[in-house]
Amino acid sequence: MEKKIEDIKTDFENKLKDISDSTDLENLRVKFLGKKGIVTEIFSQMKNLGPLERKKIGPFINVLKNFILKEILQKKEKLRGFDLEKIVNSLKPFDVSRPAKFGGGSYHPITLIQEEVEEIFRSMGFIIEEFPEVVDEYQCFESINIPEHHPARDMQDTYYLSNSKVLKTHTSAAQNDIMRKYGAPLKAIFPGRCFRNESTDSSHETTFFQMEGMMIDDNVSISNLIYFMKIMLSEVFKKAVKIRLRPGFFPFVEPGFELDIECLICGGNGCSSCKNSGWIELCPCGMIHPNVLEMGGIDNKKYTGFAFGLGLTRLAMMKYSIKDIRDFNSGNLEILSQFFNV
Ligand code: DAH
């Protein structure tokens, strides 16, 4: 019996050698392992053996069967152009005792800039508040002096949700709640993601980040605003930056300004990034409108304050020289994983 098993194995090996297509291979499998195959046949002959011999021969036939199965599978992969043996041989020995090494992750540039700016304001005594992305129209508009039908609502292409809520178009939507929560005096920043229904290009996105800031006290003036902005920007860019204020209209501030910084790419000489003006618009701001203070429950006879809406995404673009705003949401790790703060 043992000799017979040995012969079957040799016979199989010889036949396998000559096979060069998968149909022949399948036929070979049936011939040896099929219902009436040679190996199946020899299994059925076991019943003619005595118990001792059966115990001895059984494992031999099993080994033969597994051998044939494995060879057929390997040949199948080889015919498909997948040489398992070659692959296994090419693998480097694996050292199981080696400590695991994970690929290093990275922070998104918006996270980096947000944490950096938060830290700067925290060190100047500001609190940091989070605020939902879905708000109601009162929060987003009315409570900050943009009544219904006011033309200023058209300045922001709002996403309206079916439950009569809106996606926050600006972080100013949190001003009213935060004034009501903390009262005056107040020093707070509140970063967040904002949404606008815009056509996208290299400088416009439907989703972007802002950081709103408010300082309210009994003697706050425009010079306080300039001071805090200058400190923050020179910390972010690690050098003194020149800023200028231009008049700007926003219903929630009076007077309102556009704060520009000198273009850091050309040093103010004019280049394509600053549209040859030497300046980049970074942070609209102003003195909080008395109506807004009042709606926030703050005595506007006693207190004044400034507010600003820093473009976090724009700041990140400048700090990290990212030319296309769409890169932020692209999920492209080759671009997004190269930034870090020093
Ligand atoms: N919320 C305004 C916007 O996104 C930006 C802004 C302007 C915020 C002036 C302010 C401000 O706090 O004082 O268009």
Side-chain angles (χ1 to χ4, degrees), residues 45-60:
Q45 286 174 18
M46 294 261 291
K47 60 179 183 290
N48 306 328
L49 303 175
L52 268 183
E53 208 172 355
R54 205 184 299 161
K55 214 170 179 178
K56 190 175 139 214
I57 295 298
F60 279 108

Side-chain angles (χ1 to χ4, degrees), residues 141-278:
F141 304 118
E142 274 115 61
S143 73
I144 49 168
N145 213 24
I146 316 179
E148 213 181 344
H149 308 307
H150 191 288
R153 287 213 189 183
D154 299 339
M155 284 159 61
Q156 303 182 352
D157 305 297
T158 312
Y159 285 111
Y160 288 89
L161 306 178
S162 54
N163 57 2
S164 82
K165 301 238 174 193
V166 297
L167 291 184
K168 176 163 89 179
T169 55
H170 54 181
T171 40
S172 311
Q175 284 196 5
N176 186 267
D177 285 66
I178 286 171
M179 282 187 286
R180 293 203 160 272
K181 183 169 170 191
Y182 293 102
L186 173 70
K187 271 162 103 184
I189 54 167
F190 26 109
R193 185 179 2 211
C194 305
F195 307 85
R196 288 188 200 174
N197 189 8
E198 301 225 27
S199 338
T200 56
D201 61 28
S202 62
S203 53
H204 293 90
E205 248 293 19
T206 52
T207 305
F208 53 93
F209 287 79
Q210 290 186 340
M211 182 181 283
E212 192 87 2
M214 290 179 107
M215 177 174 173
I216 301 172
D217 212 328
D218 50 15
N219 211 1
V220 174
S221 70
I222 297 172
S223 18
N224 297 114
L225 167 66
I226 297 174
Y227 170 81
F228 281 109
M229 295 321 283
K230 264 194 141 168
I231 297 264
M232 186 275 290
L233 292 168
S234 42
E235 291 272 331
V236 168
F237 291 105
K238 312 275 182 265
K239 61 176 178 189
V241 289
K242 276 199 192 145
I243 64 169
R244 74 171 185 192
L245 288 185
R246 285 179 295 121
F249 171 72
F250 305 96
F252 28 92
V253 280
E254 181 55 39
F257 306 102
E258 290 286 358
L259 184 147
D260 301 336
I261 70 168
E262 193 176 68
C263 178
L264 295 160
I265 295 170
C266 62
N269 295 327
C271 67
S272 61
S273 293
C274 59
K275 301 196 185 84
N276 284 321
S277 69

Side-chain angles (χ1 to χ4, degrees), residues 307-320:
F308 61 85
L310 178 66
L312 262 194
T313 302
R314 186 166 290 184
L315 189 60
M317 287 175 84
M318 292 190 58
K319 174 152 185 183
Y320 301 117

